Amino acid sequence: MQKRLYNKEPLNKLLVVKKPMYISSNSYLNKIKRKYKNKKAGFSGTLDPFACGCLIVAFGQYTKLFKYLKKTPKKYKAVLWLGVTSYSEDIENIIDIKDEKTLDIIRIENEIEKLKGDIEYLPPKYSAKKINGKRAYELARAGIEVEMKKQIMSISDIKLLSYNHPFITFEATVSEGSYIRSLAQILAKNLNVVGTLSYLERLNEGKFFFENEKDLNPIEYLNLQENIFLADKSLLDDGKKISIENLENKNDGKYIIVFEDFFSIIQISDKEVSYILNKVTI
């Protein structure tokens, strides 16, 4: 008799897993699906195959919550390997390795300190950015030249952890959508050296930290203001249209309404109320 890999029963679950190095985020998600025996799952915030660390995973109805989660800022630990050149700005596509000059640690600290604030940069060509509907890394691997558009990343905190030549280890807290590979290239350029990332670990995404895959209550992690429903909750049970008079806060915006066994996300616009998600089981 064939062993059943997945359960048929729906599963609502929010957790943080720790992706290991040298596996894609999608491949690791498949392992997590098999571990919890449920097919309906997704993740937020792709990590490059060579990177490791915090990956937010949701099952069932919770997969629809990613855009409302408190996921910023993000903190990373990274190692810049001096003297190494790579197509992808990491250790997966190394072109050349050479000896690089030893740097003064005070100079490194000063250049790292200068990176705080908003920085204009080019995302890596080997990235998940979409260009005409295709991922940039797919085009790059196919040998198709791609032109990346400049973007802005915000560095709220960055510090040197150690310098053991030829390795510079630093920690950076950045806005969503930032690329640490690009940040490392900016640092290398400012130091007048070449280098590539040899290690990258995401330590947290906003309020999300890896804590042995413990179950998380999604309500505690939603970046939404709570509204009070003044009528009987059976209106929500039936999915009937909600009147703005049924709500304590009548201002335009997106809100969460919480009950003992479920919650709903609604939007108020011009005194009209609409469901974004109705009856998400807790």
Side-chain angles (χ1 to χ4, degrees), residues 14 17 21 25-26 46 48 79 91 97 110 112 132 140 144 159 161 168 171 173 193 207 236 249 268 270 276 281:
L14 181 67
V17 301
M21 297 178 72
S25 296
N26 278 314
T46 302
D48 296 319
V79 178
I91 55 173
I97 301 176
N110 289 339
I112 284 178
N132 298 325
I144 301 171
K159 61 183 178 182
L161 296 180
I168 296 174
E171 189 175 274
T173 303
V193 295
K207 292 182 64 177
L236 295 170
N249 189 336
I268 302 175
D270 296 327
I276 295 176
T281 306

Side-chain angles (χ1 to χ4, degrees), residues 66-113:
F66 286 130
K67 66 174 71 173
Y68 307 110
L69 297 175
K70 298 173 182 175
K71 298 181 294 180
T72 58
K74 302 171 187 282
K75 183 183 289 187
Y76 294 85
K77 179 182 177 181
V79 178
L80 176 62
W81 183 6
L82 302 182
V84 180
T85 306
S86 166
Y87 285 121
S88 54
E89 300 171 2
D90 59 42
I91 55 173
E92 289 198 288
N93 296 276
I94 291 176
I95 307 166
D96 183 46
I97 301 176
K98 66 177 183 179
D99 290 335
E100 187 56 89
K101 61 189 176 186
T102 302
L103 301 172
D104 178 69
I105 191 168
I106 301 301
R107 185 185 171 205
I108 298 173
E109 289 176 336
N110 289 339
E111 291 299 336
I112 284 178
E113 180 67 24

Side-chain angles (χ1 to χ4, degrees), residues 2-248:
Q2 187 175 6
K3 184 179 179 181
R4 180 187 291 176
L5 294 177
Y6 301 99
N7 294 328
K8 293 182 178 179
E9 296 78 15
L11 174 69
N12 283 350
K13 190 178 186 70
L14 181 67
L15 69 158
V16 175
V17 301
K18 189 171 185 178
K19 187 188 88 66
M21 297 178 72
Y22 306 118
I23 184 172
S24 71
S25 296
N26 278 314
S27 295
Y28 193 62
L29 177 65
N30 287 332
K31 290 179 177 289
I32 297 300
K33 287 178 180 178
R34 290 194 290 271
K35 179 177 180 178
Y36 291 98
K37 297 183 178 181
N38 205 284
K39 284 185 177 181
K40 188 178 179 183
F43 66 86
S44 175
T46 302
L47 279 170
D48 296 319
F50 92 100
C52 63
C54 168
L55 192 69
I56 304 170
V57 171
F59 285 86
Q61 291 176 296
Y62 292 177
T63 58
K64 299 175 182 178
L65 301 176
F66 286 130
K67 66 174 71 173
Y68 307 110
L69 297 175
K70 298 173 182 175
K71 298 181 294 180
T72 58
K74 302 171 187 282
K75 183 183 289 187
Y76 294 85
K77 179 182 177 181
V79 178
L80 176 62
W81 183 6
L82 302 182
V84 180
T85 306
S86 166
Y87 285 121
S88 54
E89 300 171 2
D90 59 42
I91 55 173
E92 289 198 288
N93 296 276
I94 291 176
I95 307 166
D96 183 46
I97 301 176
K98 66 177 183 179
D99 290 335
E100 187 56 89
K101 61 189 176 186
T102 302
L103 301 172
D104 178 69
I105 191 168
I106 301 301
R107 185 185 171 205
I108 298 173
E109 289 176 336
N110 289 339
E111 291 299 336
I112 284 178
E113 180 67 24
K114 291 177 186 176
L115 293 173
K116 286 183 182 178
D118 292 343
I119 297 178
E120 188 177 63
Y121 74 103
L122 284 172
K125 292 182 179 180
Y126 281 78
S127 69
K129 286 286 181 187
K130 282 195 173 182
I131 299 175
N132 298 325
K134 292 280 188 179
R135 298 289 186 186
Y137 66 78
E138 294 174 342
L139 298 172
R141 287 170 182 166
I144 301 171
E145 188 61 31
V146 295
E147 184 176 348
M148 307 302 290
K149 293 182 179 179
K150 287 186 176 180
Q151 294 186 228
I152 301 291
M153 71 170 102
S154 295
I155 316 298
S156 56
D157 192 28
I158 185 168
K159 61 183 178 182
L160 176 68
L161 296 180
S162 66
Y163 173 44
N164 295 304
H165 190 74
F167 301 105
I168 296 174
T169 303
F170 64 93
E171 189 175 274
T173 303
V174 301
S175 57
E176 190 157 15
S178 300
Y179 284 92
I180 305 301
R181 282 178 291 158
S182 297
L183 180 61
Q185 289 304 305
I186 293 170
L187 175 60
K189 182 180 179 181
N190 292 349
L191 290 168
N192 195 29
V193 295
V194 298
T196 196
L197 280 190
S198 62
Y199 180 81
L200 181 63
E201 179 182 0
R202 186 158 61 203
L203 303 175
N204 67 279
E205 291 190 76
K207 292 182 64 177
F208 292 88
F209 295 80
F210 175 69
E211 297 179 278
N212 296 318
E213 299 183 15
K214 76 172 187 179
D215 282 346
L216 303 177
N217 181 349
I219 295 171
E220 297 175 8
Y221 294 84
L222 289 174
N223 193 23
L224 293 168
Q225 182 180 349
E226 186 174 353
N227 208 330
I228 304 300
F229 193 62
L230 303 174
D232 192 281
K233 74 170 186 176
S234 61
L235 287 177
L236 295 170
D237 289 342
D238 298 334
K240 295 178 180 177
K241 184 175 176 62
I242 304 173
S243 167
I244 196 166
E245 300 306 319
N246 297 145
L247 299 168
E248 184 177 275

Side-chain angles (χ1 to χ4, degrees), residues 61 65 68 219 222 224-229 233 235-240 242 247 254-267 273-282:
Q61 291 176 296
L65 301 176
Y68 307 110
I219 295 171
L222 289 174
L224 293 168
Q225 182 180 349
E226 186 174 353
N227 208 330
I228 304 300
F229 193 62
K233 74 170 186 176
L235 287 177
L236 295 170
D237 289 342
D238 298 334
K240 295 178 180 177
I242 304 173
L247 299 168
K254 295 176 182 176
Y255 300 93
I256 180 172
I257 303 172
V258 182
F259 295 94
E260 310 83 43
D261 51 348
F262 71 88
F263 63 89
S264 297
I265 299 176
I266 61 164
Q267 178 168 325
V273 184
S274 58
Y275 292 108
I276 295 176
L277 293 172
N278 189 28
K279 287 202 67 181
V280 179
T281 306
I282 299 174

